Amino acid sequence: QVQLVESGGDLVQAGGSLRLSCTASGTTSSINTMRWYRQAPGKQRELVAGITSGGSTNYADSVKARFTISRDNAKNTVILQMNSLKPEDTAVYYCRVFAGLYGYWGQGTQVTVSS
């Protein structure tokens, strides 16, 4: 079992920045891919960014060049640095971690970007 705790969500003005953090605990030795998803009201949950155990990254087109995903394996933490935020980035952001055959979700953290 892996438990995830997210933090960093807040209310920010358009053009601002936020840094989301997700820390895993429990059976962390088998963690490989770590991802961030988001879900806006009335919309489906979508993949924002992912990072493999080897450090390869991928991003949704809508966030490329604005968001950066990184990880600290020693701290079992994945970070999402979000710059140049737009009102359309408003959503609940969820961390998802894959360990062995299983995927685990965090509880979500609210990001609200005002225009």
Side-chain angles (χ1 to χ4, degrees), residues 42-69:
K43 294 189 176 182
Q44 289 189 332
R45 193 170 295 188
E46 63 175 355
L47 175 65
V48 176
I51 185 166
T52 68
S53 56
S56 296
T57 59
N58 64 286
Y59 298 91
D61 288 342
S62 58
V63 307
K64 280 181 181 176
R66 299 189 297 123
F67 291 10
T68 302
I69 190 170

Side-chain angles (χ1 to χ4, degrees), residues 16-85:
S17 298
L18 283 175
R19 183 176 183 268
L20 304 184
S21 177
C22 172
T23 299
S25 61
T27 310
T28 59
S29 59
S30 59
I31 289 176
N32 42 77
T33 298
M34 307 178 87
R35 294 175 178 165
W36 286 97
Y37 290 77
R38 67 185 180 187
Q39 187 166 20
K43 294 189 176 182
Q44 289 189 332
R45 193 170 295 188
E46 63 175 355
L47 175 65
V48 176
I51 185 166
T52 68
S53 56
S56 296
T57 59
N58 64 286
Y59 298 91
D61 288 342
S62 58
V63 307
K64 280 181 181 176
R66 299 189 297 123
F67 291 10
T68 302
I69 190 170
S70 61
R71 64 191 288 168
D72 184 335
N73 292 328
K75 297 180 179 179
N76 298 309
T77 297
V78 59
I79 301 293
L80 186 68
Q81 177 66 42
M82 305 187 295
N83 299 326
S84 302
L85 283 162

